[in-house]
């Protein structure tokens, strides 16, 4: 094996990320607590560097490396850039929160960056093993991050729950992979796809494997009926970690669905389409209806995430390029909205006060009209009301579904988004129509306020001019 | 000189950007700053809308002042503006009423005046865009976007039960519109674009038309609002601040009627024909039944709200009567249909002025007494003679007194309905009696008689600001009532074109 066959150069962003993270791990040991900001800066620099390296090496061609286990294509590039961007936002929003709770430690950034590495490997995997490797790297980082606040009992409980259910899901996925291996004789995604095309008759083992894969993916993504962990983990984890879990990993989850279901098992589309329909309809229904009953903002956003997952599945199950593109557009937009929504919670929280109850938002417009307006944008965007970008995400998914003559699915989706509108409106009602109960001044670093404002304005600007991002997503699957 | 100007873009973006400027200016520099700024933008927008009328070519039914640029190429969605004789008067109505609303809120709004003014300006831009958008998704963006400022207006500056009312308002309208969105997407795959004019010429089977028509009906019937989906309106009106009620009644309701003209009738003519009985039934129920409901109201705003529903019933009646007029063998010519549709449009414009005036009159009383209950008043004429003169004048216009704008539209529709079916005319004409009953009875109880209590005795008459808005509206109502010809000229070509279009089956 020569070095050329490894084609190492296309993996520079990952290599840079790994080296910098290891460096951070070492440097952090020698820092005093008062110098901890240096770790933060190194982490941000790492993300920026990774982003730039990905950006500079963007290709329109598909290239493989490491003996065909690693692939770089336009899909991977775009998703990686967004992952870095969103995690960078999470890190900006997190600093004050961590300091206030005396958990401002280098490990947060190390784990976060290892998670990013895992996501990037998932996004670029061309082989079931590298995919699983990336997934586990991400999951293990997240288990540890959920338990990051050692003093908090609910964090520990959430981490335990997450770990047990996540391990089951990984097991399911692994089992599915091994069955597929048994049927096709390979773990390489292009080889699997090829051998499935050749197979004319349906193999019962194959369907078995498919079911396990879909269940595993649904667990990871948090689709109903495999969603039980989502609200508890979102609620129990420190809000910084919640904002991490709720945003970037969903992008990676989308990527592995594309890699497994579309690229490897594309020939079985008829089979997985039916399964995804069930998952999508249940997620839309359960997510939107149960969100109404929540009094905790983090739990409400957790159920809202479940309903968004339903919409993303709608795009995927269309099984057309337009469907995949619209799901991709949706997931990118969703990650920006979600990180913004949690950013507002982080903005309002302070030492000894989590600000994660719905009632804590009361009268925000009187305390800070600007950030109330930002939250208004995030909420209307999640509800899919124009002129925010959430509307375009829903429109493109609905279009994809109508295109394959599944009008009834589009009607189900809009029906549940009507229900969904109610709980988003309630947040706006609390912010604008109620009197504040808590009049403490909102104090945060300028950096965080700038980033959060930028985040909100991006949602608004993308709503006014979605064309660029939309064309980008559609060109990926052209 | 205005021929090369992107007039419609200016009309849409001046108030929206103006609203953002007002929002950013905030209330720091004293409350007057934001209000003055808002007034400047509102007047500028009104001034910009005048060339729309003067430069309008009445001889053609084609879209004018057209602007078209690609917006979202992925779905072939265009930034596409244009007006015809049907939408142009409604745009001028919008710019005029917004000026009135800004002046009306001048001293009254104490909480966050900059946000209040900004919400109305942004709303104005969105409503103008709804009337001029010629791309279905472009239209939909503004149609839904409009809900956001209204939601805030009712919720922040509204009355005691405002939260319930505003959420009900939002959800009702949202329910209606999402199904319309699905219908639009469906048609996109039939015609390859969201261009409304192309949708007009799109061949659709009866089944397709049936479902598309129902989707549109849901969206527009909620907005008009038609019986039985009208229940959000009285709630929203009662709780909204005066300015909110004015915009709601004067313009937002018209958007529903406009939707029927722009979408339902030309896109699904055969389904409209098949289901016209349903719409007529709903309209006549609104005219008669809601009229009786208005009679028993104790709250003045509720009374006017129900009166609005009843009057809007006339609009939908006029629009959907055309098929019956055509089918009636007794008609030697087809002018009856033109009369019905033109009557409906005039009724929309006229109701815009009259309902605005009625709500402003209630606002004048409410600002002084903080009550909308009819029983709290009595003998207002003794302390506020000038105001009472205006109020009675507008009440007469609401009843449809000849010489006021209220007469023209109703009269045209009733005449036309004789050509469709005698009983439509009969039931429609009862509104002249019921309407007179509830309006004049309210006038009698509120304005005439002995001074009812000490509060009424302490009332002061109109100040110059209130006098200004009342007289502006009174002039508009009179001009439209005495000389409606310019308005009819403007819309004539477009209405003819519309009728020719819907007379041809798409099957």
């Amino acid at each position: 094996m020569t070095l050329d066959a490894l084609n190492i150069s296309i993996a520079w962003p990952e290599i840079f990320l790994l080296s910098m993270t290891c460096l951070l791990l070492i440097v952090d040991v020698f820092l005093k607590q008062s110098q901890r900001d240096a770790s933060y800066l190194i982490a941000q620099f790492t993300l920026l560097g990774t982003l730039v390296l990905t950006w500079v090496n963007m290709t329109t061609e598909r290239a493989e490396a490491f003996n065909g286990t690693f692939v770089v294509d336009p899909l991977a590039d775009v998703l990686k850039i967004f992952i870095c961007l969103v995690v960078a936002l999470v890190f900006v929003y997190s600093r004050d929160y961590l300091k206030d709770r005396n958990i401002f430690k280098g490990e947060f950034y190390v784990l976060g960056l290892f998670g990013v590495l895992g996501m990037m490997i998932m996004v670029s995997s061309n082989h079931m093993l590298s995919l699983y490797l990336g997934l586990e790297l991400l999951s293990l980082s997240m288990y540890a991050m959920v338990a990051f606040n050692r003093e908090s009992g609910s964090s520990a409980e959430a981490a335990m729950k997450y770990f047990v259910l996540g391990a089951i899901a990984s097991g399911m996925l692994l089992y599915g992979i091994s069955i597929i291996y048994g049927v096709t004789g390979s773990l390489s995604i292009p080889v699997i796809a090829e051998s499935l095309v050749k197979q004319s008759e349906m193999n019962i083992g194959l369907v078995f494997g498919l079911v396990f894969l879909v269940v595993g993916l649904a667990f990871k993504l948090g689709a109903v009926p495999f969603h039980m962990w989502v609200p508890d983990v979102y609620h129990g984890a420190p809000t910084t970690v919640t904002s991490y879990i709720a945003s970037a990993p969903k992008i990676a989850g989308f990527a592995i669905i594309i890699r497994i279901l579309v690229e490897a098992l594309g020939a079985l589309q008829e089979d997985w389409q039916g399964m995804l329909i069930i998952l999508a309809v249940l997620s839309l229904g359960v997510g939107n209806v149960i969100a109404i009953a929540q009094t905790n903002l983090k739990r409400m956003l957790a159920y809202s995430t479940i309903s968004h997952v339903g919409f993303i599945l709608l795009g995927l199950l269309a099984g057309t390029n337009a469907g995949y593109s619209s799901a991709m557009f949706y997931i990118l937009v969703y990650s920006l909205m979600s990180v913004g929504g949690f950013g507002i919670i982080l903005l309002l929280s302070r030492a000894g006060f989590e600000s994660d109850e719905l009632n804590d938002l009361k009268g925000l417009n009187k305390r800070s009209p600007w950030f109330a307006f930002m939250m208004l944008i995030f909420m209307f965007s999640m509800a899919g009301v124009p002129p925010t970008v959430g509307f375009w995400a829903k429109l493109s998914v609905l279009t994809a579904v109508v295109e394959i003559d599944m009008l009834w699915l589009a009607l189900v989706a809009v029906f549940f988004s009507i229900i969904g509108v109610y709980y988003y409106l309630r947040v706006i009602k609390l912010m604008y129509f109620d009197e504040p109960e808590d009049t403490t001044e909102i104090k945060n670093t300028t950096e965080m306020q700038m980033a959060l404002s930028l985040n909100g304005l991006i949602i608004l600007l993308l709503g006014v001019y979605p064309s660029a991002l939309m064309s980008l997503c559609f060109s990926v699957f052209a | 000189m205005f021929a090369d100007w992107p007039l419609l873009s200016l009309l849409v973006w001046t108030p929206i950007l103006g609203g953002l400027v007002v929002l950013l200016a905030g209330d720091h520099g004293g409350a007057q700053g934001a209000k003055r700024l808002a007034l400047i933008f509102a007047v500028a927008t009104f001034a910009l809308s005048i060339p729309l009328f003067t430069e309008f070519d009445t001889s053609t039914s084609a879209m004018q002042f057209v602007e078209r640029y690609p917006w979202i190429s992925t779905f072939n969605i265009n930034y596409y503006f244009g007006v015809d004789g049907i939408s142009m008067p409604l745009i001028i109505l919008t710019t005029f009423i917004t000026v009135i609303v800004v002046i009306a809120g001048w001293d009254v709004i104490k909480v966050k005046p900059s946000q209040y003014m900004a919400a109305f300006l942004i709303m104005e831009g969105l409503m103008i865009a709804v009337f001029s958008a010629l791309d279905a998704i472009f239209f939909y963006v503004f149609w839904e976007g409009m809900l956001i400022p209204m939601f805030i207006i009712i919720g922040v500056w509204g009355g005691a039960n405002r939260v319930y009312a505003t959420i009900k308002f939002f959800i009702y309208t949202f329910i209606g519109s999402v199904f319309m969105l699905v219908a639009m997407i469906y048609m996109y795959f039939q015609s390859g674009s969201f261009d409304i004019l192309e949708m007009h010429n799109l061949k659709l089977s009866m089944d397709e038309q049936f479902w598309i028509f129902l989707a549109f009906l849901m969206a527009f019937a909620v907005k008009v609002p038609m019986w039985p989906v009208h229940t959000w309106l009285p709630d929203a009106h009662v709780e909204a601040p005066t300015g909110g009620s004015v915009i709601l009644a004067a313009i937002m309701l018209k958007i529903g009627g406009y939707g029927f003209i722009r979408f339902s009738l030309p896109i699904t003519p055969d389904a409209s024909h098949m289901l016209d009985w349903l719409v007529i039934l709903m309209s006549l129920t609104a005219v008669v039944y809601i009229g009786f409901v208005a009679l028993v109201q104790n709250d003045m705003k509720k009374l006017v709200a129900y009166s609005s529903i009843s009057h809007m019933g006339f609009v939908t009646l006029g629009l959907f009567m055309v098929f019956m007029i055509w089918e009636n063998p007794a008609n030697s010519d087809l002018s009856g249909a033109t009369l019905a549709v033109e009557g409906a449009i005039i009724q929309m414009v006229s109701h815009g002025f009259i309902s605005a005036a009625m709500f402003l009159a209630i606002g004048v009383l409410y600002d002084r007494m903080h009550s909308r209950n009819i029983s709290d008043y009595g003998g207002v004429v003794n302390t506020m003679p000038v105001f009472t003169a205006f109020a009675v004048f507008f009440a007469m216009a609401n009843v449809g007194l000849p010489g006021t704008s209220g007469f023209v539209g109703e009269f045209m529709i009733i005449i036309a309905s004789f050509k469709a079916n005698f009983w439509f005319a009969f039931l429609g004409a009862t509104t002249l009696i019921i309407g007179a009953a509830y309006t004049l009875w309210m006038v009698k109880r509120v304005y005439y008689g002995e001074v009812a209590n000490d509060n009424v005795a302490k009332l002061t008459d109109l100040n110059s600001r209130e006098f200004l808005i009342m007289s502006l509206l009174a002039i508009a109502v009179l001009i439209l009532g005495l000389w409606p010809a310019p308005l009819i000229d403007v819309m004539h070509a477009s209405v003819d074109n519309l009728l020719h279009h819907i007379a041809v089956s798409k099957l």
Side-chain angles (χ1 to χ4, degrees):
Chain A
M1 186 195 301
T2 63
L3 210 57
D4 285 347
L6 286 178
N7 197 7
I8 225 167
S9 65
I10 63 166
W12 273 126
E14 284 80 2
I15 295 169
F16 172 78
L17 176 60
L18 177 62
S19 326
M20 286 301 290
T21 311
C22 293
L23 182 75
L24 173 62
L25 190 59
I26 297 165
V27 169
D28 186 66
V29 176
F30 296 100
L31 290 176
K32 293 197 197 74
Q33 186 57 30
S34 59
Q35 298 164 319
R36 199 65 67 199
D37 280 326
S39 301
Y40 166 76
L41 291 175
I42 294 174
Q44 287 292 33
F45 171 76
T46 309
L47 284 173
L48 184 73
T50 314
L51 196 155
V52 170
L53 276 173
T54 316
W55 184 289
V56 182
N57 293 323
M58 262 177 101
T59 55
T60 48
E61 302 282 306
R62 189 187 144 89
E64 292 183 1
F66 301 107
N67 295 314
T69 54
F70 187 88
V71 64
V72 172
D73 53 11
L75 171 72
D77 285 334
V78 175
L79 294 184
K80 282 178 194 171
I81 288 174
F82 268 85
I83 288 173
C84 291
L85 193 72
V86 167
V87 173
L89 280 174
V90 171
F91 284 179
V92 174
Y93 299 161
S94 305
R95 190 149 61 134
D96 284 346
Y97 182 93
L98 295 173
K99 278 182 181 168
D100 286 344
R101 279 155 194 76
N102 293 325
I103 46 172
F104 187 48
K105 294 181 191 140
E107 288 86 343
F108 179 78
Y109 299 108
V110 173
L111 288 169
L113 290 178
F114 271 124
V116 173
L117 183 63
M119 291 186 246
M120 291 179 71
I121 294 173
M122 285 157 80
V123 166
S124 265
S125 56
N126 197 34
H127 193 275
M128 291 297 189
L129 268 188
S130 55
L131 187 145
Y132 188 74
L133 195 70
L135 181 65
E136 283 308 283
L137 183 53
L138 169 66
S139 301
L140 287 171
S141 307
M142 287 202 294
Y143 302 147
M145 283 169 88
V146 171
F148 196 65
N149 192 355
R150 278 185 307 191
E151 312 297 321
S152 158
S154 64
S155 274
E157 186 197 326
M160 201 62 207
K161 198 173 249 170
Y162 192 21
F163 177 71
V164 172
L165 289 175
I168 293 174
S170 296
M172 295 269 189
L173 204 63
L174 208 53
Y175 195 43
I177 291 174
S178 63
I179 296 177
I180 298 289
Y181 177 75
V183 176
T184 60
S186 173
L187 284 175
S188 162
I189 288 172
V191 179
I192 294 176
E194 223 173 288
S195 66
L196 286 184
V197 172
K198 283 185 202 140
Q199 256 177 3
S200 52
E201 67 201 79
M202 196 58 219
N203 186 322
I204 188 74
L206 213 50
V207 179
F208 230 73
L210 179 65
V211 171
F212 277 106
L213 284 176
V214 170
V215 169
L217 292 172
F219 250 118
K220 292 291 176 193
L221 217 55
V224 180
F226 309 107
H227 66 290
M228 298 303 181
W229 61 274
V230 179
D232 290 338
V233 171
Y234 276 39
H235 187 188
T239 313
T240 50
V241 178
T242 313
S243 69
Y244 183 93
I245 295 176
S247 51
K250 303 289 174 198
I251 302 181
F254 166 79
I256 56 171
I257 291 192
I258 291 286
R259 298 289 183 213
I260 294 183
L261 292 187
V262 179
E263 291 186 359
L265 307 178
L268 303 180
Q269 198 221 322
E270 279 179 22
D271 297 279
W272 53 255
Q273 187 177 50
M275 300 179 202
L276 293 194
I277 289 179
I278 297 171
L279 291 175
V281 171
L282 284 177
S283 301
L284 284 167
V286 171
N288 279 318
V289 172
I290 299 188
I292 293 177
Q294 304 308 315
T295 55
N296 181 288
L297 188 54
K298 279 158 83 180
R299 284 189 93 85
M300 191 202 94
L301 287 175
Y303 283 103
S304 138
T305 302
I306 294 171
S307 73
H308 287 298
V309 166
F311 250 101
I312 291 155
L313 291 175
L314 277 188
L316 287 167
L317 67 84
T320 56
N321 282 339
Y324 306 142
S325 314
S326 60
M328 178 175 167
F329 183 70
Y330 201 113
I331 196 84
L332 297 181
V333 166
Y334 161 77
S335 65
L336 285 174
M337 300 187 296
S338 170
V339 78
F342 285 107
I344 296 281
I345 304 182
L346 291 169
L347 177 89
L348 298 180
S349 67
R350 54 178 185 270
F353 180 60
E354 287 295 324
S355 185
D356 61 353
E357 293 297 321
L358 272 172
N359 283 341
D360 296 338
L361 284 173
K362 272 189 179 174
L364 185 59
N365 186 37
K366 297 231 167 51
R367 296 168 64 197
S368 165
W370 177 252
F371 288 108
F373 180 59
M374 289 297 133
M375 188 65 170
L376 174 123
I377 293 176
F378 293 133
M379 288 298 117
F380 275 125
S381 186
M382 287 189 189
V385 178
T388 55
V389 67
F391 167 70
W392 298 108
K394 290 208 162 63
L395 176 79
S396 52
V397 167
L398 290 176
T399 313
V401 175
V402 173
E403 191 177 14
I404 56 161
D405 283 331
M406 288 207 175
L407 208 55
W408 69 272
L409 259 184
L411 291 173
V412 169
V414 296
F415 174 75
F416 283 119
S417 46
I418 295 169
I419 296 178
V421 147
Y422 174 75
Y423 59 87
Y424 297 119
L425 285 183
R426 192 172 53 184
V427 172
I428 294 161
K429 173 235 160 197
L430 289 168
M431 291 191 305
Y432 277 81
F433 308 160
D434 288 353
E435 291 298 318
E437 283 177 351
D438 159 32
T439 48
T440 321
E441 200 188 340
I442 296 166
K443 267 191 278 180
N444 281 98
T445 52
T446 345
E447 176 202 6
M448 167 158 190
Q449 300 198 354
M450 298 273 280
L452 199 51
S453 309
L454 191 72
N455 193 338
L457 291 177
I458 286 176
I459 298 288
L460 194 60
L461 286 180
L462 278 176
V464 177
Y465 190 72
S467 200
L469 183 59
M470 214 181 249
S471 324
L472 182 67
C473 293
F474 275 76
S475 68
V476 164
F477 288 99
Chain B
M1 68 172 279
F2 295 104
D4 317 327
W5 288 33
L7 257 188
L8 290 170
S9 287
L10 282 173
L11 272 172
V12 170
W13 296 111
T14 309
I16 292 182
L17 295 177
L20 292 178
V21 169
V22 172
L23 200 61
L24 290 176
D27 303 317
H28 304 301
Q32 293 301 321
K35 291 173 190 167
R36 288 210 184 105
L37 213 53
L39 184 63
I40 291 170
F41 281 111
V43 172
T45 314
F46 177 63
L48 278 170
S49 68
I50 293 171
L52 214 56
F53 182 75
T54 54
E55 308 275 312
F56 193 82
D57 181 358
T58 55
S59 61
T60 171
S61 65
M63 290 295 163
Q64 305 184 34
F65 305 100
V66 172
E67 295 166 41
R68 184 176 183 160
Y69 313 98
W71 186 28
I72 298 167
S73 48
T74 316
F75 294 115
N76 197 4
I77 298 171
N78 293 299
Y79 178 95
Y80 190 8
F81 280 138
V83 288
D84 62 2
I86 297 167
S87 46
M88 193 273 282
L90 294 169
I91 291 178
I92 295 179
L93 174 74
T94 309
T95 57
F96 178 78
I97 294 292
T98 305
V99 175
I100 300 276
V101 164
V102 169
I103 302 175
W106 203 263
D107 300 328
V108 184
I109 300 301
K110 305 274 191 257
V111 185
K112 300 233 176 224
S114 64
Q115 288 189 2
Y116 177 86
M117 293 296 176
F120 277 104
L121 284 174
I122 293 172
M123 190 80 176
E124 177 188 16
L126 297 174
M127 290 186 299
I128 294 173
V130 165
F131 286 128
S132 45
L134 292 178
D135 182 287
I137 293 296
F138 196 43
F139 168 89
Y140 186 85
V141 166
F142 294 114
W143 162 277
E144 288 257 287
M146 215 165 58
L147 299 181
I148 300 176
M150 201 65 202
F151 177 73
I152 303 282
I153 288 169
I154 301 178
V156 176
W157 295 278
N161 199 14
R162 58 187 197 272
V163 173
Y164 167 78
T166 195
I167 290 187
K168 186 171 178 183
F169 157 76
F170 196 104
I171 292 191
Y172 254 72
T173 345
F174 196 78
I175 291 175
S177 35
V178 286
F179 292 103
M180 173 171 80
L181 180 67
V182 177
M184 284 170 173
I185 295 173
Y186 181 81
M187 282 189 285
Y188 164 67
F189 285 109
Q190 311 298 311
S191 77
S193 90
F194 284 109
D195 186 331
I196 296 174
L197 300 179
E198 276 179 37
M199 287 180 181
H200 286 186
N201 295 319
L202 179 68
K203 290 268 179 249
L204 291 167
S205 73
M206 196 64 214
D207 258 6
E208 289 170 320
Q209 284 197 35
F210 178 80
W211 292 109
I212 292 171
F213 178 82
L214 284 188
F216 281 135
L217 183 66
M218 271 184 87
F220 302 135
V222 167
K223 207 82 164 184
V224 166
M226 299 174 79
W227 178 89
V229 286
H230 64 280
T231 58
W232 64 271
L233 187 78
D235 286 324
H237 266 315
V238 168
E239 300 304 333
T242 306
S245 295
V246 169
I247 292 287
L248 206 55
I251 305 162
M252 281 188 97
L253 306 193
K254 307 305 169 294
I255 290 173
Y258 171 77
F260 281 119
I261 300 175
R262 185 64 83 227
F263 290 89
S264 301
L265 285 171
I267 293 178
T268 59
D270 302 293
S272 305
H273 190 170
M274 189 175 94
L275 292 171
D276 62 350
W277 59 270
L278 177 69
V279 181
I280 290 175
L281 186 75
M282 286 160 74
S283 310
L284 286 173
T285 313
V287 170
V288 180
Y289 163 71
I290 299 294
F292 279 113
V293 174
L295 203 54
V296 297
Q297 298 305 317
N298 299 317
D299 181 314
M300 289 192 277
K301 262 191 162 177
K302 251 192 176 150
L303 190 148
V304 180
Y306 281 112
S307 144
S308 288
I309 301 169
S310 167
H311 281 101
M312 288 306 288
F314 257 97
V315 173
T316 44
L317 175 67
L319 292 177
F320 280 86
M321 222 162 42
V322 294
F323 301 103
M324 299 225 178
I325 296 177
W326 279 326
E327 280 179 349
N328 193 338
N331 293 332
S332 51
D333 60 11
L334 296 179
S335 63
T338 318
L339 199 64
V341 173
E342 287 181 355
I345 299 169
I346 291 181
Q347 172 78 351
M348 291 209 285
V349 177
S350 146
H351 180 257
F353 291 119
I354 298 173
S355 62
M358 298 282 283
F359 279 115
L360 284 167
I362 296 169
V364 166
L365 286 176
Y366 184 79
D367 292 340
R368 288 166 172 70
M369 302 260 295
H370 299 283
S371 163
R372 295 180 305 255
N373 277 334
I374 296 177
S375 55
D376 288 346
Y377 293 88
V380 174
V381 68
N382 298 305
T383 44
M384 303 177 74
V386 181
F387 169 65
T388 305
F390 277 118
V392 172
F393 171 73
F394 291 125
M396 290 301 174
N398 197 39
V399 172
L401 187 77
T404 63
S405 63
F407 171 74
V408 185
E410 286 184 15
F411 186 69
M412 286 167 84
I413 294 170
I414 292 174
I415 294 283
S417 56
F418 270 111
K419 302 195 176 188
N421 186 322
F422 168 77
W423 291 105
F424 293 173
F426 177 80
L427 288 171
T430 56
T431 192
L432 296 175
I433 302 161
I434 306 168
Y438 62 71
T439 313
L440 297 182
W441 193 30
M442 176 185 83
V443 166
K444 186 220 150 224
R445 285 180 291 168
V446 172
Y447 298 104
Y448 294 117
E450 295 298 310
V451 173
N453 52 44
D454 293 349
N455 292 333
V456 174
K458 280 185 233 150
L459 286 176
T460 51
D461 212 336
L462 295 181
N463 59 29
S464 50
R465 177 181 60 85
E466 291 161 340
F467 185 81
L468 175 69
I469 52 178
M470 286 288 166
S471 33
L472 283 175
L473 282 167
I475 292 168
V477 168
L478 265 183
I479 291 182
L480 205 57
L482 294 173
W483 196 43
L487 182 58
I488 296 177
D489 286 346
V490 159
M491 69 176 70
H492 197 72
S494 303
V495 170
D496 261 356
N497 179 50
L498 173 77
L499 287 172
H500 280 123
H501 192 93
I502 59 181
V504 181
S505 166
K506 274 189 170 184
L507 298 176

